[in-house]
Amino acid sequence: MLTLVSFDLCPYVQRAAIALAEKGVPFERRDVDLANKPDWFDAISPLGKVPLLQVDDEVLFESAVIVEYLEETQAPRLHPAEPLVRARHRAWMEVGSSILADIWTLETTPDRAAFDAKALSLRDKFRRLEAVLDRGPYFGGEHFSLVDAVFAPAFRYFDVFDRFVDLGTFTDLPKVQAWRRALAARRSVKSAVVVDYEVRLEAFLRRQESWLAGLME
Ligand SMILES: N[C@@H](CCC(=O)N[C@@H](CS)C(=O)NCC(=O)O)C(=O)O
């Protein structure tokens, strides 16, 4: 049995949970409180971060490494078979990580200028995605891939943001909007978070001394 060491709101954990679900691999989820990290977690997490994947006596860390390990060991393959297309997918996964970094700033910065700059940066990255998306429904077309596992948790934030603020991130980007809808409907994506995820995220956002929390008021 694999164990995924997790935190309820972590988008990087969701990548691994989605990949595991897509591959039909049973796993146990062990949540940690990142505000109060237990000693056992400190002992096995070199960077003090989740996700970790415990595989027998080995502990894997870094979500990209974890999903690549799952890709090498568990069918079905989610990456495309052709090396150049696969490299392209990995590159867009990196864009997904930079989008998560922008979102973190949106969630936490008290500074309006920094907030506005990140909102623009996000808009620009999704505008570039609009230009590379094809017919869908997923990033690579008909088949769900690891790029989808990276972007689904990023899109999920906007389900909560949209209730409080109009960031205009996806305005006039119909392919990105359709992609977002397709991912939200996917079973593996739905099952990657707890049922009250949105309530928990909203509570987390309100606890921040941030520009966004002010807008939510
Ligand atoms: N590059 C890492 C990022 C993981 C990450 O930032 N995890 C956050 C939660 S979403 C974390 O564990 N933060 C705890 C800390 O930094 O103390 C990955 O891809 O796994």
Side-chain angles (χ1 to χ4, degrees), residues 10-12 34 37 48-51 62-63:
C10 179
Y12 302 94
L34 289 176
K37 295 176 185 169
K49 295 180 183 210
V50 293
E62 285 298 314
S63 61

Side-chain angles (χ1 to χ4, degrees), residues 12 17 21 54 62 64 72 79 92 110 121 123 126 131 139 141-142 167 174 198 204 206 213:
Y12 302 94
Q54 294 180 287
E62 285 298 314
E72 285 179 19
H79 263 324
W92 283 102
S121 164
R123 166 85 187 155
F126 282 110
F139 178 81
E142 228 176 289
L167 294 168
E198 290 193 9
F204 170 82
R206 288 187 187 280

Side-chain angles (χ1 to χ4, degrees), residues 126 133 137 151-152 154-163 169-170 174-186 189:
F126 282 110
L133 286 169
F151 276 85
F155 282 128
R156 203 195 296 275
Y157 282 103
F158 290 86
D159 298 343
V160 174
F161 294 165
D162 284 352
R163 287 196 224 135
T169 314
F170 309 118
K175 289 180 182 172
V176 173
Q177 287 177 24
W179 186 30
R180 178 184 173 187
R181 281 194 299 273
L183 292 182
R186 186 92 178 173
V189 171

Side-chain angles (χ1 to χ4, degrees), residues 7 9-10 14 16 25 28 34 41 54 71 90 96 100 112 119 131 138 160 163 166 185 189 199:
F7 173 67
L9 296 179
C10 179
Q14 290 178 50
V25 180
E28 188 184 35
L34 289 176
F41 174 72
Q54 294 180 287
E71 189 62 5
R90 287 186 172 124
L100 288 181
R112 181 183 186 160
Y138 302 114
V160 174
R163 287 196 224 135
D166 181 9
V189 171
V199 174

